[in-house]
Amino acid sequence: MGRRDFCKKLSASVAASLLIVAQCQIVEAKLDCGPTVNKNIQLPRTIAIGTNPAGTGAHAIASGLAAIASKSTQVSAKVQPYNGPNAWMPLLESGEIEFGIINILDSNMAATGTGNYKKAYPGIRIVAGGVFPFTAGLIVRDKSEIKQMSDLRGKRMAWDYGGHAINQTWQLAVMEASGLKPADVNQVRVSNLNDGVRAVPEGKVDAAFTAVGIGVVEEANAMEPVRFLSMPNSAAANKILSRYGASVVKSDPAAGIKGDTYVIGYPLHLASATNVSDKTVYTMLKAWWEHLAELDTIHPLFKRWKKEDQALGNFTVPYHSGAIQFYKEAKVWGPKQEARAKEICGKE
């Protein structure tokens, strides 16, 4: 039995194997690296960007991108919120939406049909490296006696997250990097990220996983002050997180950040698909690139949407050919990216 088959077998039999599958697949899975199938040279009248619910970082980013696209191109862009990428991925495949906000691990799972995805969506392609680092961690009530990760043992933790399954996977990764196991906590099922966050000040759970600096955390903090727990900034923790394309980072000031706080950081991509034309991807990407200063004024997360991070060197899903065309012209796509493309596509 190969390692990939072993990982799939584990995912069917053990609940905690979401963590194991993620570790295996982000490194091992081979990807479909086929060309763009939409050769249309005419721009569509409208495009839609799939995202998480309002109040999340993904929704804020998509809203900014849609505003700039609608203002600076002939295309009208809109935001389509869903519980998470698991909900909108079939719509990206069918062409009902053209773009989506998704993190580095979730995109790899979707492309390979591993982890949180029961089927593969091989047509997914990366358009922009996106926000880096996008930061997230575990929140508790500020007045709680929970001061460090080990204090979570025996406490109630938001669990499952419904259509936003990757939230659970990241939560498991943070727990593992902090020396915690799923059996160490009392699992309380919630339907999505927002419900999990709100459950903390409501007293329904003691802790939940969420991004830093997003609207729903500010909302929760206004209900009752919340606090992000600091995770270990150690070589061991970073070794675990590296299997997910993530690392331990020091958080910037934000709601719930009390003093020096270490959280998880990873890229939050803009993705598209092979059924979206090169012309569409190139045109949208050019508009966002040229109006980055304006995006900075729309939401603080865009301050981490830096030009040097848009053509990544450690991507885990192929870039869209329309994006590659643009990045080559912008002189940020070079030998490092070409070598990485050959590596993940299994080419010599």
Short mmCIF file of all heavy atoms in Angstrom, two decimals, residues 310-335:
data_model
loop_
_atom_site.label_atom_id
_atom_site.label_comp_id
_atom_site.label_asym_id
_atom_site.label_seq_id
_atom_site.Cartn_x
_atom_site.Cartn_y
_atom_site.Cartn_z
N GLN A 310 2.58 37.57 -4.71
CA GLN A 310 1.50 37.10 -5.57
C GLN A 310 1.91 35.94 -6.48
O GLN A 310 1.10 35.09 -6.82
CB GLN A 310 0.92 38.25 -6.39
CG GLN A 310 0.35 39.38 -5.52
CD GLN A 310 -0.48 38.86 -4.36
OE1 GLN A 310 -1.42 38.08 -4.52
NE2 GLN A 310 -0.13 39.27 -3.13
N ALA A 311 3.17 35.91 -6.87
CA ALA A 311 3.70 34.76 -7.63
C ALA A 311 4.59 33.97 -6.66
O ALA A 311 5.79 34.15 -6.61
CB ALA A 311 4.49 35.22 -8.85
N LEU A 312 3.97 33.11 -5.89
CA LEU A 312 4.67 32.38 -4.84
C LEU A 312 5.67 31.38 -5.41
O LEU A 312 5.55 30.95 -6.56
CB LEU A 312 3.66 31.62 -3.97
CG LEU A 312 2.70 32.46 -3.12
CD1 LEU A 312 1.66 31.55 -2.48
CD2 LEU A 312 3.45 33.24 -2.05
N GLY A 313 6.60 30.98 -4.56
CA GLY A 313 7.55 29.95 -4.96
C GLY A 313 7.26 28.61 -4.33
O GLY A 313 7.93 27.62 -4.63
N ASN A 314 6.23 28.56 -3.46
CA ASN A 314 5.91 27.30 -2.76
C ASN A 314 4.45 26.91 -2.95
O ASN A 314 3.85 26.31 -2.07
CB ASN A 314 6.22 27.43 -1.27
CG ASN A 314 5.33 28.46 -0.57
OD1 ASN A 314 4.81 29.37 -1.22
ND2 ASN A 314 5.16 28.33 0.73
N PHE A 315 3.88 27.26 -4.10
CA PHE A 315 2.46 26.97 -4.34
C PHE A 315 2.22 25.46 -4.42
O PHE A 315 3.12 24.69 -4.79
CB PHE A 315 1.94 27.68 -5.59
CG PHE A 315 2.78 27.49 -6.83
CD1 PHE A 315 2.47 26.52 -7.76
CD2 PHE A 315 3.87 28.31 -7.07
CE1 PHE A 315 3.22 26.36 -8.91
CE2 PHE A 315 4.65 28.16 -8.22
CZ PHE A 315 4.33 27.17 -9.14
N THR A 316 1.01 25.04 -4.05
CA THR A 316 0.67 23.61 -4.01
C THR A 316 -0.38 23.23 -5.03
O THR A 316 -0.76 22.06 -5.13
CB THR A 316 0.18 23.23 -2.60
OG1 THR A 316 -1.02 23.96 -2.31
CG2 THR A 316 1.22 23.54 -1.55
N VAL A 317 -0.89 24.20 -5.79
CA VAL A 317 -1.84 24.01 -6.88
C VAL A 317 -1.32 24.85 -8.05
O VAL A 317 -0.79 25.95 -7.83
CB VAL A 317 -3.26 24.47 -6.47
CG1 VAL A 317 -4.21 24.48 -7.67
CG2 VAL A 317 -3.81 23.56 -5.38
N PRO A 318 -1.43 24.38 -9.30
CA PRO A 318 -0.89 25.15 -10.42
C PRO A 318 -1.51 26.54 -10.53
O PRO A 318 -2.67 26.75 -10.18
CB PRO A 318 -1.27 24.30 -11.64
CG PRO A 318 -1.47 22.92 -11.10
CD PRO A 318 -2.02 23.09 -9.72
N TYR A 319 -0.73 27.47 -11.02
CA TYR A 319 -1.24 28.80 -11.33
C TYR A 319 -2.01 28.77 -12.64
O TYR A 319 -1.74 27.97 -13.54
CB TYR A 319 -0.09 29.80 -11.45
CG TYR A 319 0.24 30.51 -10.15
CD1 TYR A 319 0.95 29.86 -9.14
CD2 TYR A 319 -0.15 31.83 -9.93
CE1 TYR A 319 1.26 30.52 -7.94
CE2 TYR A 319 0.15 32.49 -8.74
CZ TYR A 319 0.85 31.84 -7.75
OH TYR A 319 1.14 32.47 -6.57
N HIS A 320 -2.99 29.66 -12.76
CA HIS A 320 -3.76 29.81 -13.99
C HIS A 320 -2.84 30.38 -15.08
O HIS A 320 -2.01 31.26 -14.80
CB HIS A 320 -4.94 30.75 -13.74
CG HIS A 320 -5.98 30.73 -14.80
ND1 HIS A 320 -5.80 31.32 -16.03
CD2 HIS A 320 -7.23 30.18 -14.82
CE1 HIS A 320 -6.90 31.14 -16.76
NE2 HIS A 320 -7.78 30.45 -16.05
N SER A 321 -2.98 29.91 -16.29
CA SER A 321 -2.09 30.36 -17.36
C SER A 321 -2.25 31.85 -17.64
O SER A 321 -1.29 32.52 -18.04
CB SER A 321 -2.34 29.54 -18.63
OG SER A 321 -3.71 29.54 -18.98
N GLY A 322 -3.45 32.40 -17.43
CA GLY A 322 -3.63 33.85 -17.59
C GLY A 322 -2.86 34.62 -16.54
O GLY A 322 -2.33 35.72 -16.83
N ALA A 323 -2.77 34.06 -15.34
CA ALA A 323 -1.99 34.70 -14.28
C ALA A 323 -0.50 34.62 -14.58
O ALA A 323 0.24 35.58 -14.38
CB ALA A 323 -2.31 34.05 -12.94
N ILE A 324 -0.06 33.46 -15.06
CA ILE A 324 1.36 33.30 -15.39
C ILE A 324 1.77 34.30 -16.46
O ILE A 324 2.84 34.92 -16.39
CB ILE A 324 1.65 31.86 -15.85
CG1 ILE A 324 1.42 30.87 -14.70
CG2 ILE A 324 3.07 31.74 -16.40
CD1 ILE A 324 1.52 29.42 -15.10
N GLN A 325 0.90 34.48 -17.47
CA GLN A 325 1.17 35.46 -18.52
C GLN A 325 1.38 36.85 -17.92
O GLN A 325 2.35 37.56 -18.25
CB GLN A 325 0.02 35.51 -19.51
CG GLN A 325 0.20 36.55 -20.63
CD GLN A 325 -1.04 36.71 -21.49
OE1 GLN A 325 -1.99 35.92 -21.39
NE2 GLN A 325 -1.06 37.72 -22.33
N PHE A 326 0.50 37.23 -16.99
CA PHE A 326 0.63 38.56 -16.38
C PHE A 326 1.90 38.66 -15.54
O PHE A 326 2.63 39.65 -15.62
CB PHE A 326 -0.59 38.89 -15.53
CG PHE A 326 -0.42 40.19 -14.79
CD1 PHE A 326 -0.64 41.39 -15.44
CD2 PHE A 326 0.00 40.21 -13.47
CE1 PHE A 326 -0.44 42.60 -14.79
CE2 PHE A 326 0.20 41.41 -12.81
CZ PHE A 326 -0.03 42.62 -13.47
N TYR A 327 2.16 37.66 -14.72
CA TYR A 327 3.32 37.72 -13.83
C TYR A 327 4.63 37.73 -14.59
O TYR A 327 5.61 38.33 -14.16
CB TYR A 327 3.28 36.57 -12.83
CG TYR A 327 2.19 36.70 -11.79
CD1 TYR A 327 1.34 35.63 -11.52
CD2 TYR A 327 2.01 37.89 -11.09
CE1 TYR A 327 0.33 35.75 -10.57
CE2 TYR A 327 1.00 38.01 -10.14
CZ TYR A 327 0.17 36.94 -9.88
OH TYR A 327 -0.83 37.06 -8.95
N LYS A 328 4.65 37.06 -15.73
CA LYS A 328 5.86 37.11 -16.57
C LYS A 328 6.09 38.52 -17.09
O LYS A 328 7.22 39.02 -17.09
CB LYS A 328 5.75 36.11 -17.72
CG LYS A 328 5.97 34.66 -17.30
CD LYS A 328 5.90 33.72 -18.50
CE LYS A 328 6.22 32.29 -18.11
NZ LYS A 328 6.12 31.36 -19.25
N GLU A 329 5.00 39.17 -17.52
CA GLU A 329 5.12 40.54 -18.00
C GLU A 329 5.53 41.49 -16.88
O GLU A 329 6.24 42.47 -17.12
CB GLU A 329 3.80 40.99 -18.63
CG GLU A 329 3.45 40.27 -19.91
CD GLU A 329 2.14 40.72 -20.51
OE1 GLU A 329 1.57 41.73 -20.02
OE2 GLU A 329 1.68 40.09 -21.48
N ALA A 330 5.05 41.19 -15.65
CA ALA A 330 5.40 42.01 -14.49
C ALA A 330 6.79 41.67 -13.94
O ALA A 330 7.24 42.29 -12.97
CB ALA A 330 4.35 41.84 -13.40
N LYS A 331 7.42 40.65 -14.53
CA LYS A 331 8.78 40.21 -14.17
C LYS A 331 8.88 39.69 -12.73
O LYS A 331 9.89 39.90 -12.04
CB LYS A 331 9.78 41.33 -14.42
CG LYS A 331 9.81 41.81 -15.87
CD LYS A 331 10.94 42.78 -16.12
CE LYS A 331 10.90 43.33 -17.54
NZ LYS A 331 10.84 42.30 -18.60
N VAL A 332 7.83 39.00 -12.29
CA VAL A 332 7.88 38.36 -10.97
C VAL A 332 7.73 36.84 -11.09
O VAL A 332 7.71 36.14 -10.07
CB VAL A 332 6.80 38.93 -10.02
CG1 VAL A 332 7.08 40.39 -9.71
CG2 VAL A 332 5.40 38.75 -10.59
N TRP A 333 7.59 36.34 -12.30
CA TRP A 333 7.53 34.89 -12.53
C TRP A 333 8.82 34.49 -13.22
O TRP A 333 9.12 34.96 -14.32
CB TRP A 333 6.33 34.54 -13.40
CG TRP A 333 6.13 33.05 -13.57
CD1 TRP A 333 6.78 32.23 -14.46
CD2 TRP A 333 5.24 32.21 -12.83
NE1 TRP A 333 6.35 30.93 -14.33
CE2 TRP A 333 5.39 30.89 -13.32
CE3 TRP A 333 4.34 32.44 -11.79
CZ2 TRP A 333 4.67 29.82 -12.82
CZ3 TRP A 333 3.62 31.38 -11.29
CH2 TRP A 333 3.78 30.08 -11.80
N GLY A 334 9.61 33.64 -12.56
CA GLY A 334 10.90 33.29 -13.11
C GLY A 334 11.26 31.84 -12.88
O GLY A 334 10.39 30.98 -12.71
N PRO A 335 12.54 31.52 -12.84
CA PRO A 335 13.01 30.14 -12.71
C PRO A 335 12.49 29.43 -11.46
O PRO A 335 12.20 28.23 -11.50
CB PRO A 335 14.53 30.29 -12.67
CG PRO A 335 14.80 31.56 -13.41
CD PRO A 335 13.66 32.45 -13.08
#
